[in-house]
Amino acid sequence: MNDKLKEISYDELISMFDSFDSGLVMIGGLWCPNCTSIIDNVLKIAEEKNLNNVYMYDPKFKNIYGEMEDLRDCKSLEIKLKYYAIVEKMGFKSSERVKDTLIAKIHIPCFLAIRHGICNKYYSIELFKDNNILHELNSDTDLTMEFEDNIKELIDIVKKDELMY
């Protein structure tokens, strides 16, 4: 794994909000083909823009039975509350809901621009990479530039204070 990509836990993600930290966070994991297709682009942009780290929060975890579970599935009350905390802190809005809840469903990868503990903007798109071109499923439209512009905008938000000096 690239040394700019820093995995963080649920508690570390929540702490970024509660302790007024700043950073670019990707919700997703390297098990996800959509995440792996774009991560090199993100890390290249982060390096170009002198961003020290891209944080990655993986919503998959081992439950008390030792089975892999996705926080976004909200299978228990405790997990629903944890997931809802993320949705609320990032101000996430979507008409799609997690099954049997009223909680907005976050698709991955989802990028958060957290600045001083506030999610100023988020961006989520499911892309695939073929021949160095990022595109949506069943489309050959090149979305690489659009994707990279959105990531640059998120990084600029995260680094806003630095850009002022």
Side-chain angles (χ1 to χ4, degrees):
M1 182 172 5
N2 187 302
D3 60 341
K4 279 203 177 288
L5 185 62
K6 181 180 180 208
E7 290 187 59
I8 59 173
S9 67
Y10 173 84
D11 291 335
E12 289 169 315
L13 174 61
I14 295 301
S15 177
M16 288 184 77
F17 293 106
D18 294 344
S19 59
F20 308 107
D21 286 339
S22 298
L24 178 67
V25 176
M26 178 179 88
I27 298 176
L30 298 179
W31 49 266
C32 169
N34 299 107
C35 295
T36 56
S37 69
I38 52 87
I39 197 62
D40 289 339
N41 296 62
V42 173
L43 294 172
K44 182 182 109 213
I45 294 165
E47 190 164 321
E48 288 169 4
K49 293 200 139 296
N50 295 316
L51 185 68
N52 293 332
N53 294 304
V54 173
Y55 300 100
M56 181 177 67
Y57 166 65
D58 187 344
K60 287 200 173 193
F61 65 97
K62 278 192 179 178
N63 64 21
I64 59 171
Y65 304 108
E67 302 163 326
M68 289 306 290
E69 188 174 327
D70 192 320
L71 186 82
R72 299 168 305 139
D73 292 336
C74 296
K75 291 186 176 179
S76 69
L77 179 57
E78 177 187 3
I79 300 305
K80 281 179 189 166
L81 293 173
K82 283 183 163 188
Y83 178 70
Y84 183 70
I86 293 172
V87 169
E88 280 298 298
K89 288 183 182 290
M90 67 184 279
F92 186 76
K93 304 286 185 231
S94 172
S95 59
E96 187 177 354
R97 303 287 179 234
V98 174
K99 184 181 176 187
D100 299 327
T101 75
L102 296 175
I103 306 170
K105 176 80 172 189
I106 300 172
H107 289 281
I108 58 173
C110 184
F111 294 89
L112 318 178
I114 300 174
R115 187 168 154 267
H116 302 307
I118 297 170
C119 181
N120 287 259
K121 188 169 185 171
Y122 55 84
Y123 173 66
S124 181
I125 188 166
E126 295 178 6
L127 296 174
F128 297 88
K129 186 182 253 183
D130 293 313
N131 302 321
N132 265 351
I133 294 173
L134 296 175
H135 62 89
E136 292 179 305
L137 186 63
N138 299 324
S139 170
D140 58 358
T141 303
D142 185 355
L143 297 175
T144 306
M145 295 281 291
E146 178 184 323
F147 173 77
E148 290 180 352
D149 287 344
N150 278 293
I151 296 301
K152 288 175 184 175
E153 180 183 359
L154 295 177
I155 291 172
D156 287 345
I157 290 168
V158 167
K159 294 184 61 127
K160 185 175 182 180
D161 294 335
E162 291 178 30
L163 298 173
M164 295 173 64
Y165 299 110

mmCIF file of all heavy atoms in Angstrom, residues 32-51:
data_model
loop_
_atom_site.group_PDB
_atom_site.id
_atom_site.type_symbol
_atom_site.label_atom_id
_atom_site.label_comp_id
_atom_site.label_asym_id
_atom_site.label_seq_id
_atom_site.Cartn_x
_atom_site.Cartn_y
_atom_site.Cartn_z
ATOM 1 N N CYS A 32 -12.797 -3.457 -2.924
ATOM 2 C CA CYS A 32 -13.831 -2.943 -3.832
ATOM 3 C C CYS A 32 -13.209 -2.590 -5.185
ATOM 4 O O CYS A 32 -12.286 -1.772 -5.241
ATOM 5 C CB CYS A 32 -14.476 -1.706 -3.215
ATOM 6 S SG CYS A 32 -15.533 -0.774 -4.357
ATOM 7 N N PRO A 33 -13.690 -3.165 -6.291
ATOM 8 C CA PRO A 33 -13.112 -2.864 -7.602
ATOM 9 C C PRO A 33 -13.227 -1.388 -7.983
ATOM 10 O O PRO A 33 -12.352 -0.849 -8.646
ATOM 11 C CB PRO A 33 -13.887 -3.755 -8.573
ATOM 12 C CG PRO A 33 -15.013 -4.335 -7.828
ATOM 13 C CD PRO A 33 -14.773 -4.145 -6.368
ATOM 14 N N ASN A 34 -14.303 -0.717 -7.559
ATOM 15 C CA ASN A 34 -14.451 0.708 -7.860
ATOM 16 C C ASN A 34 -13.383 1.534 -7.144
ATOM 17 O O ASN A 34 -12.861 2.497 -7.693
ATOM 18 C CB ASN A 34 -15.838 1.211 -7.463
ATOM 19 C CG ASN A 34 -16.938 0.492 -8.203
ATOM 20 O OD1 ASN A 34 -17.641 -0.321 -7.625
ATOM 21 N ND2 ASN A 34 -17.074 0.760 -9.482
ATOM 22 N N CYS A 35 -13.065 1.157 -5.904
ATOM 23 C CA CYS A 35 -12.042 1.874 -5.140
ATOM 24 C C CYS A 35 -10.659 1.638 -5.726
ATOM 25 O O CYS A 35 -9.878 2.578 -5.882
ATOM 26 C CB CYS A 35 -12.077 1.452 -3.671
ATOM 27 S SG CYS A 35 -13.607 1.908 -2.824
ATOM 28 N N THR A 36 -10.360 0.391 -6.059
ATOM 29 C CA THR A 36 -9.026 0.093 -6.586
ATOM 30 C C THR A 36 -8.824 0.701 -7.970
ATOM 31 O O THR A 36 -7.693 1.022 -8.337
ATOM 32 C CB THR A 36 -8.743 -1.426 -6.632
ATOM 33 O OG1 THR A 36 -9.757 -2.070 -7.389
ATOM 34 C CG2 THR A 36 -8.684 -2.009 -5.248
ATOM 35 N N SER A 37 -9.903 0.912 -8.723
ATOM 36 C CA SER A 37 -9.746 1.477 -10.064
ATOM 37 C C SER A 37 -9.355 2.951 -10.023
ATOM 38 O O SER A 37 -8.744 3.455 -10.959
ATOM 39 C CB SER A 37 -11.017 1.280 -10.897
ATOM 40 O OG SER A 37 -12.073 2.066 -10.407
ATOM 41 N N ILE A 38 -9.659 3.653 -8.937
ATOM 42 C CA ILE A 38 -9.412 5.098 -8.896
ATOM 43 C C ILE A 38 -8.322 5.510 -7.904
ATOM 44 O O ILE A 38 -7.861 6.644 -7.949
ATOM 45 C CB ILE A 38 -10.712 5.881 -8.586
ATOM 46 C CG1 ILE A 38 -11.427 5.339 -7.320
ATOM 47 C CG2 ILE A 38 -11.670 5.814 -9.753
ATOM 48 C CD1 ILE A 38 -10.955 5.925 -6.068
ATOM 49 N N ILE A 39 -7.897 4.623 -7.033
ATOM 50 C CA ILE A 39 -7.006 5.036 -5.949
ATOM 51 C C ILE A 39 -5.677 5.582 -6.455
ATOM 52 O O ILE A 39 -5.143 6.545 -5.894
ATOM 53 C CB ILE A 39 -6.814 3.914 -4.897
ATOM 54 C CG1 ILE A 39 -6.234 4.491 -3.605
ATOM 55 C CG2 ILE A 39 -5.970 2.795 -5.438
ATOM 56 C CD1 ILE A 39 -7.100 5.508 -2.926
ATOM 57 N N ASP A 40 -5.124 5.009 -7.530
ATOM 58 C CA ASP A 40 -3.861 5.532 -8.074
ATOM 59 C C ASP A 40 -4.020 6.977 -8.540
ATOM 60 O O ASP A 40 -3.139 7.809 -8.321
ATOM 61 C CB ASP A 40 -3.350 4.662 -9.218
ATOM 62 C CG ASP A 40 -2.831 3.315 -8.744
ATOM 63 O OD1 ASP A 40 -2.494 3.184 -7.544
ATOM 64 O OD2 ASP A 40 -2.760 2.392 -9.572
ATOM 65 N N ASN A 41 -5.147 7.276 -9.184
ATOM 66 C CA ASN A 41 -5.410 8.649 -9.626
ATOM 67 C C ASN A 41 -5.476 9.594 -8.428
ATOM 68 O O ASN A 41 -4.921 10.688 -8.453
ATOM 69 C CB ASN A 41 -6.727 8.727 -10.407
ATOM 70 C CG ASN A 41 -6.705 7.941 -11.689
ATOM 71 O OD1 ASN A 41 -6.545 6.723 -11.663
ATOM 72 N ND2 ASN A 41 -6.876 8.611 -12.814
ATOM 73 N N VAL A 42 -6.163 9.163 -7.379
ATOM 74 C CA VAL A 42 -6.322 9.997 -6.184
ATOM 75 C C VAL A 42 -4.970 10.263 -5.530
ATOM 76 O O VAL A 42 -4.654 11.410 -5.173
ATOM 77 C CB VAL A 42 -7.293 9.334 -5.173
ATOM 78 C CG1 VAL A 42 -7.330 10.099 -3.858
ATOM 79 C CG2 VAL A 42 -8.681 9.217 -5.778
ATOM 80 N N LEU A 43 -4.166 9.231 -5.385
ATOM 81 C CA LEU A 43 -2.863 9.387 -4.734
ATOM 82 C C LEU A 43 -1.920 10.249 -5.567
ATOM 83 O O LEU A 43 -1.141 11.037 -5.019
ATOM 84 C CB LEU A 43 -2.246 8.019 -4.445
ATOM 85 C CG LEU A 43 -3.011 7.175 -3.424
ATOM 86 C CD1 LEU A 43 -2.430 5.773 -3.342
ATOM 87 C CD2 LEU A 43 -3.037 7.844 -2.055
ATOM 88 N N LYS A 44 -2.005 10.151 -6.883
ATOM 89 C CA LYS A 44 -1.190 10.998 -7.761
ATOM 90 C C LYS A 44 -1.574 12.465 -7.590
ATOM 91 O O LYS A 44 -0.711 13.345 -7.461
ATOM 92 C CB LYS A 44 -1.372 10.560 -9.218
ATOM 93 C CG LYS A 44 -0.532 11.336 -10.218
ATOM 94 C CD LYS A 44 -0.806 10.862 -11.640
ATOM 95 C CE LYS A 44 -1.545 11.926 -12.299
ATOM 96 N NZ LYS A 44 -2.458 12.007 -13.203
ATOM 97 N N ILE A 45 -2.867 12.733 -7.541
ATOM 98 C CA ILE A 45 -3.341 14.109 -7.353
ATOM 99 C C ILE A 45 -2.933 14.624 -5.975
ATOM 100 O O ILE A 45 -2.496 15.773 -5.836
ATOM 101 C CB ILE A 45 -4.873 14.188 -7.541
ATOM 102 C CG1 ILE A 45 -5.235 13.865 -8.976
ATOM 103 C CG2 ILE A 45 -5.394 15.562 -7.143
ATOM 104 C CD1 ILE A 45 -6.703 13.572 -9.192
ATOM 105 N N ALA A 46 -3.072 13.789 -4.956
ATOM 106 C CA ALA A 46 -2.678 14.183 -3.596
ATOM 107 C C ALA A 46 -1.207 14.577 -3.561
ATOM 108 O O ALA A 46 -0.833 15.583 -2.935
ATOM 109 C CB ALA A 46 -2.959 13.054 -2.605
ATOM 110 N N GLU A 47 -0.381 13.810 -4.247
ATOM 111 C CA GLU A 47 1.053 14.124 -4.284
ATOM 112 C C GLU A 47 1.301 15.437 -5.018
ATOM 113 O O GLU A 47 2.069 16.276 -4.559
ATOM 114 C CB GLU A 47 1.818 12.983 -4.948
ATOM 115 C CG GLU A 47 3.314 13.144 -4.807
ATOM 116 C CD GLU A 47 4.065 11.863 -5.105
ATOM 117 O OE1 GLU A 47 3.575 10.781 -4.718
ATOM 118 O OE2 GLU A 47 5.132 11.966 -5.714
ATOM 119 N N GLU A 48 0.636 15.629 -6.148
ATOM 120 C CA GLU A 48 0.785 16.874 -6.914
ATOM 121 C C GLU A 48 0.375 18.088 -6.093
ATOM 122 O O GLU A 48 0.948 19.162 -6.227
ATOM 123 C CB GLU A 48 -0.064 16.825 -8.187
ATOM 124 C CG GLU A 48 0.456 15.886 -9.247
ATOM 125 C CD GLU A 48 -0.545 15.672 -10.382
ATOM 126 O OE1 GLU A 48 -1.621 16.308 -10.400
ATOM 127 O OE2 GLU A 48 -0.238 14.841 -11.264
ATOM 128 N N LYS A 49 -0.632 17.919 -5.260
ATOM 129 C CA LYS A 49 -1.157 19.031 -4.467
ATOM 130 C C LYS A 49 -0.548 19.086 -3.061
ATOM 131 O O LYS A 49 -1.021 19.823 -2.207
ATOM 132 C CB LYS A 49 -2.679 18.950 -4.392
ATOM 133 C CG LYS A 49 -3.326 19.179 -5.754
ATOM 134 C CD LYS A 49 -4.745 19.560 -5.573
ATOM 135 C CE LYS A 49 -5.285 20.635 -6.426
ATOM 136 N NZ LYS A 49 -4.821 21.944 -6.382
ATOM 137 N N ASN A 50 0.500 18.298 -2.841
ATOM 138 C CA ASN A 50 1.221 18.291 -1.553
ATOM 139 C C ASN A 50 0.320 17.974 -0.360
ATOM 140 O O ASN A 50 0.462 18.568 0.707
ATOM 141 C CB ASN A 50 1.957 19.610 -1.327
ATOM 142 C CG ASN A 50 3.055 19.810 -2.343
ATOM 143 O OD1 ASN A 50 3.812 18.884 -2.632
ATOM 144 N ND2 ASN A 50 3.121 21.005 -2.905
ATOM 145 N N LEU A 51 -0.592 17.052 -0.554
ATOM 146 C CA LEU A 51 -1.424 16.567 0.550
ATOM 147 C C LEU A 51 -0.702 15.381 1.170
ATOM 148 O O LEU A 51 -0.368 14.423 0.478
ATOM 149 C CB LEU A 51 -2.806 16.148 0.031
ATOM 150 C CG LEU A 51 -3.819 15.730 1.095
ATOM 151 C CD1 LEU A 51 -4.221 16.940 1.944
ATOM 152 C CD2 LEU A 51 -5.056 15.131 0.439
#
